[in-house]
């Protein structure tokens, strides 16, 4: 087929800020996880699909299958919709303690 460009699991973006490998990146309404580090203005590859361990808001309990959002202001995941961007679903339950600051998320393919 003449119009195929890519499988869509990753895309290249221009880093608007310094990006660390494994960091969540929101570009408009596209969310992905950086495959490597990039300086401002450099090309970065972000992965749009997969299951990732990501920082989450403390003191939030998650259930399997719960919708998860990206809190861009704090660079972390959350189960709070208001003011945040939907990125996927929780694939593991997480306790709601103050020290529970990591969650496992299956990304929804970059579409919000």
């Amino acid at each position: 087929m003449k119009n195929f460009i890519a499988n869509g699991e990753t895309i290249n973006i221009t880093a608007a800020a310094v990006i660390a490998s494994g960091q969540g990146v929101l570009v408009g309404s596209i969310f992905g996880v950086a495959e490597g580090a990039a300086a401002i203005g450099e090309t970065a590859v972000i992965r749009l699909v997969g299951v990732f361990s990501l920082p989450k808001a403390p003191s939030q309990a998650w259930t399997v299958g719960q919708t998860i959002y990206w809190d861009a202001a704090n660079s972390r995941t959350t189960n709070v919709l208001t003011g945040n961007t939907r990125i996927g679903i929780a694939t593991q339950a997480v306790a709601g303690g103050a020290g529970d600051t990591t969650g496992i998320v299956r990304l929804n393919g970059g579409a919000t």
Side-chain angles (χ1 to χ4, degrees):
M1 121 183 56
K2 294 179 182 179
N3 59 345
F4 179 80
I5 296 171
N7 65 18
E9 292 180 4
T10 63
I11 61 169
N12 294 340
I13 60 149
T14 300
V18 174
I19 298 173
S21 179
Q23 177 180 336
V25 178
L26 184 65
V27 179
S29 62
I30 301 170
F31 180 84
V33 176
E35 287 193 344
I40 296 171
E42 289 184 341
T43 298
V45 177
I46 60 171
R47 183 158 292 280
L48 306 178
V49 296
V51 179
F52 294 89
S53 174
L54 294 169
K56 69 172 265 305
S59 303
Q60 282 186 354
W62 289 7
T63 58
V64 174
Q66 184 172 21
T67 301
I68 301 301
Y69 305 89
W70 184 251
D71 174 357
N74 294 298
S75 298
R76 63 187 182 194
T77 57
T78 179
N79 60 11
V80 176
L81 166 63
T82 306
N84 299 311
T85 303
R86 185 175 71 91
I87 63 166
I89 60 167
T91 60
Q92 291 184 11
V94 181
D100 297 314
T101 58
T102 302
I104 309 299
V105 181
R106 181 197 175 276
L107 299 185
N108 66 5
T112 57

